Every structure is written in C-alpha cells, then in structure tokens.
Amino acid sequence: MVDTALASLFAHFEQYIKLSTSLRDALAERMHLVTFKKGDLIHNADTICKESYFIQKGILRTYFLKDGKEITEYFVSENEWVNSPRSMIQQKVDIYFIDALEDTIAFKLKIHHLGYLFDNFPEMERYARLSMGSLFGHFMERITSLRFTTAKEKYDHFLTVYGDLYPRLPLGMVASYLGITQETLSRLRAER
Amino acid sequence: MVDTALASLFAHFEQYIKLSTSLRDALAERMHLVTFKKGDLIHNADTICKESYFIQKGILRTYFLKDGKEITEYFVSENEWVNSPRSMIQQKVDIYFIDALEDTIAFKLKIHHLGYLFDNFPEMERYARLSMGSLFGHFMERITSLRFTTAKEKYDHFLTVYGDLYPRLPLGMVASYLGITQETLSRLRAER
DNA sequence: GTTGATTTTTGATCCAGATCAAAAAGTTAT
DNA sequence: ATAACTTTTTGATCTGGATCAAAAATCAAC
C-alpha cells in the first residue's frame, strides 16, 4: 500500500528530475500518508499553512468566502500538490480554505521538512521550479478563458481539462470555479 | 550606466537570495544590455523563445491575436522579467508576441546561459522558485477579479496595481487586459 | 501647421447571463 | 420507508456591458 503510493510519488518527481537514492530516502522518511473523510476541513484560512499535501486518491478543493458563499479557487486530485500558496510561502494568513470532496488519501509534508529538502537537495529546487513552470500555462489559459469566452465555452473547456473529475463534483462548485451561476451551468448542461 | 543597471539587477536578486561574488560575476558576464524602440517586436509567436529580458527602463507587452485583434496578456516594466513562458520552458512555439510600448532598455539573457546558471548555481534555482512563487498570488488575484467583479471594480483594481503604468498605456490595451471593451473602459473613466 | 491615421469618446440598441423564486430530484439519517 | 435537508432544474424578469456606428480628439509625418 505505502510502497505503491511512494512509487507514484516518485514517478511524479521523475517527470521533472532524476531522483537519487538519497533523495528518495529523504522523501520517504518525511512524507507520511494521511487520510481525510469527505467534508473534512484540511486547512482553515484562520491559520498559517504549515504543510503541503500530495494527493494519492480523492479530491480536495481550495475555496474562499465571498459574501458568505464558498467560491472554488481550484480542484486538486490524484498526483497533484495542494496548500494555501501565499500562506505557505510567506507564512502569514491568507483567505483560502481547503476541504475534502471525497474520502482522500494524501502524503503530508511539513514545511520545515520541505525546507530541509530544499536546503539539502538542489534538485528539489529544480523540481519546484519546473513543476511550477508547467502550472503557468494553465493559469494563462484560465485567464484567457475567463476574459473572452461565453459561459458555454467555459463549460466546454472545463470538460476537456477536468472531464474525469467533473462527474464527481457538485454543480455549484464547478459554477463558482468558472465564474458563472449554478443556474446558467445547469441550463448549459441540459441543452446537449 | 551599465554599473547602475547591474546594481538594480543585483538588488532584485537579493530580494530572494544572497548573491555570491562568483554568481554576480557569472550574471554580469552573461546578461547584456540591449535597447528597443517604441513599437519594436521583441518576440514573434512564429519562433521559439530563446531569451529572457529583464527590463531596466520602459514597458513591454505580451499579447496574442484573437480574431485578428491584439489581446494583452500582461504588461511588464522596470525590474521584471519577460519571455514567452511556455515557449521558453518547452522550447516550442506558442501564441504570444512581445513588443515595446516605449523605448526600452533591458538585459538580455540567452536560454543556454540561463541553463548554465541553473546548472552551476543552485541558488539560481532557488531564486527562480521563490520569484515564481510570488507571481502566483498575482495570478490568483487576477483570476478572482475576472470572475467576480464588475467592469468598474476591475478598472479600480487595475489602478491600484498598475497605477504608475496606467498613464503610459493605450486605452485599448488596458481594456483587453481587463477583458472589457474599450468603450466601456472609456465610459468608466469619464464618470469620475 | 495641415493632412492623414490612430485613439478616444459618445450615442443607441441588444442580449447573455444574473437574479429572484419555486418546483423537482437526490441524499442522509433515523 | 419516511422525514429533513441538500442539490439541481425550470421559469420569469432584469441589467451590465457588448456591439455597431459615428463624431471628436490626439498624434505623427511631411
């Protein structure tokens, strides 16, 4: 169980860097599997983010509150990292909450362990640089999509990018992610 | 002239990492000042991006074409880097053009020199990780702004973030950056 | 400074999607 | 299975900002 989980974790890293045995060992020692139940709050915006999670199974959601309503910032699933970015980096509070949309298994990595890895394995810095770089493209696409597409096009784009996740997600959360109302999304869905 | 330029470049790096003398020297050797005239095309979307620029003076704009019209992706000014991110990282063509909105002085860094710096100075990797991290906050704010604010609020937010740049920018470019029409932006401006 | 080109403003109309409201379908717990 | 709650759908109305069009202001070049 733990070994197959570790294997997929290592495979993820290997997409960006070559993993030395010593780095493998260092990672295995510091990343620990934790489980969440559907609905669990993983990170509260009131607190400073002290850990990152690498999802093994399940879906987590980052959201914030606007006028008392939960607005989805993004969804995270298998083989992706989550934390509250600015809170994590600058060690101050930020607006984001993280909760579990399904029963979830994840590796937990504490910030001081992450710091240790960065300080002792330059290839970890490279991994971070490269993996963040590939997120940039997604951000840019999303920004373009928000500026210049109709609700229908946003919905279609969402399906191509998150098609596998989509059936597992409540409608309202998808709507707030796309910046449209739930009613509009429901109507779009109906017309096909 | 070159020394004060180098000083501001180093000061930028020092926000994130401590610069060793050898890294200073390596940077000074590989980054060369170039100038552009207003209107010059710095990067053509037809080509693979082979260099990054660190702006010393002036404004560059990243844009792409949609239905034959230029859509601003973002503006870059003093003490910021520009390139075509995905083209640079993956060394393939992408949709973005870069041009000069003013006469501009910038440091040019070729990709193979950048690679050399990353390979030989682990602190460069750290610099890249940390500086990219701080861009994330801006991306997230922009995404939120695009999803949930009125044209007026977008305009106000732009003024607080890019207030100093604003008077130097053509209206239409700002409008496409914000995802609203030039007419709407013009009306917003009038009503205050 | 006059001419031609570009940018900005102003005006009139229109529509995609928001909002408000309530019914229907689906979920969860006893 | 039934009650209580949550999520999704459907309906009716309204509006911010788009679109189309043209005038006014700015800018650039000879």
Side-chain angles (χ1 to χ4, degrees):
Chain A
M1 187 61 218
V2 173
D3 359 337
T4 71
L6 269 178
S8 70
L9 175 69
F10 291 160
H12 169 79
F13 276 92
E14 296 266 2
Q15 290 184 292
Y16 299 99
I17 56 169
K18 213 149 48 62
L19 281 180
S20 62
T21 311
S22 61
L23 178 49
R24 274 169 198 263
D25 293 346
L27 285 167
E29 237 173 75
R30 286 169 183 78
M31 300 193 65
H32 300 293
L33 282 177
V34 291
T35 61
F36 304 110
K37 280 186 306 176
K38 178 174 179 168
D40 283 358
L41 191 66
I42 281 79
H43 172 70
N44 189 315
D46 299 344
T47 66
I48 291 174
C49 188
K50 300 277 187 195
E51 47 254 329
S52 261
Y53 298 94
F54 185 83
I55 314 295
Q56 178 61 28
K57 181 90 195 62
I59 306 181
L60 303 187
R61 167 185 66 141
T62 300
Y63 68 94
F64 63 95
L65 297 176
K66 184 185 164 74
D67 308 327
K69 283 186 302 189
E70 300 178 354
I71 306 293
T72 299
E73 188 67 29
Y74 42 70
F75 302 106
V76 190
S77 62
E78 285 79 14
N79 296 310
E80 297 180 308
W81 288 96
V82 227
N83 56 44
S84 176
R86 243 183 318 192
S87 176
M88 184 79 175
I89 292 170
Q90 300 177 26
Q91 286 295 291
K92 61 177 196 187
V93 298
D94 199 354
I95 60 174
Y96 300 100
F97 297 79
I98 303 173
D99 69 356
L101 302 186
E102 295 184 346
D103 291 350
T104 294
I105 307 172
F107 282 106
K108 173 177 180 168
L109 178 59
K110 296 203 171 152
I111 187 167
H112 69 274
H113 284 143
L114 183 60
Y116 173 87
L117 294 168
F118 281 137
D119 287 343
N120 292 279
F121 297 91
E123 60 270 42
M124 272 296 288
E125 298 276 10
R126 172 163 298 192
Y127 160 77
R129 170 174 64 88
L130 293 174
S131 60
M132 285 174 87
S134 69
L135 285 182
F136 263 65
H138 291 131
F139 273 115
M140 287 169 78
E141 267 179 29
R142 190 171 173 197
I143 285 170
T144 300
S145 165
L146 287 170
R147 279 185 298 178
F148 300 109
T149 62
T150 62
K152 176 90 166 53
E153 287 169 319
K154 291 185 180 78
Y155 171 62
D156 289 341
H157 182 251
F158 186 83
L159 285 184
T160 68
V161 177
Y162 288 106
D164 50 331
L165 244 52
Y166 177 69
R168 305 197 249 159
L169 302 172
L171 200 64
M173 293 183 188
V174 175
S176 72
Y177 175 87
L178 294 175
I180 62 182
T181 61
Q182 174 164 325
E183 293 92 323
T184 296
L185 183 53
S186 173
R187 280 183 250 263
L188 285 172
R189 243 183 8 169
E191 78 185 35
R192 47 166 51 203
Chain B
M1 187 64 218
V2 173
D3 355 338
T4 71
L6 268 179
S8 71
L9 175 69
F10 290 160
H12 169 79
F13 276 92
E14 295 267 2
Q15 290 185 291
Y16 300 100
I17 56 170
K18 213 148 50 61
L19 281 180
S20 63
T21 310
S22 61
L23 179 48
R24 275 170 197 265
D25 292 347
L27 285 166
E29 237 174 74
R30 285 169 184 78
M31 300 193 66
H32 300 293
L33 282 177
V34 292
T35 61
F36 303 110
K37 279 186 308 177
K38 179 175 178 169
D40 282 359
L41 192 66
I42 281 79
H43 172 71
N44 190 313
D46 298 344
T47 66
I48 291 174
C49 188
K50 299 277 188 197
E51 47 253 331
S52 261
Y53 298 94
F54 184 83
I55 313 298
Q56 178 60 28
K57 183 88 195 62
I59 306 180
L60 303 186
R61 168 185 65 142
T62 300
Y63 68 93
F64 64 95
L65 297 175
K66 184 183 164 75
D67 309 326
K69 283 185 302 186
E70 300 178 354
I71 306 293
T72 299
E73 188 67 29
Y74 42 71
F75 302 105
V76 190
S77 62
E78 286 79 12
N79 297 310
E80 297 180 308
W81 288 96
V82 229
N83 56 44
S84 176
R86 242 183 319 193
S87 177
M88 185 80 174
I89 292 169
Q90 300 176 26
Q91 286 294 292
K92 61 177 197 187
V93 299
D94 199 353
I95 60 172
Y96 301 100
F97 297 80
I98 302 174
D99 68 357
L101 302 186
E102 295 183 348
D103 291 353
T104 294
I105 306 171
F107 281 105
K108 174 176 178 167
L109 177 59
K110 295 203 171 152
I111 186 167
H112 69 275
H113 284 144
L114 183 60
Y116 172 87
L117 293 170
F118 281 137
D119 288 343
N120 292 278
F121 297 91
E123 60 270 41
M124 273 294 289
E125 298 277 10
R126 172 162 298 190
Y127 160 76
R129 170 175 64 87
L130 294 174
S131 61
M132 285 174 85
S134 69
L135 284 183
F136 263 65
H138 292 131
F139 273 114
M140 289 169 77
E141 267 178 29
R142 189 170 174 197
I143 286 170
T144 299
S145 165
L146 287 169
R147 279 186 298 178
F148 299 109
T149 62
T150 62
K152 176 91 165 53
E153 289 169 318
K154 290 185 180 78
Y155 171 62
D156 288 341
H157 182 251
F158 186 83
L159 285 185
T160 68
V161 178
Y162 288 106
D164 50 330
L165 245 53
Y166 179 68
R168 305 197 251 161
L169 303 171
L171 200 65
M173 292 183 187
V174 175
S176 73
Y177 174 86
L178 294 176
I180 62 181
T181 61
Q182 173 166 326
E183 293 93 324
T184 296
L185 183 53
S186 173
R187 281 183 248 264
L188 286 173
R189 247 187 357 173
E191 77 186 35
R192 47 166 51 203

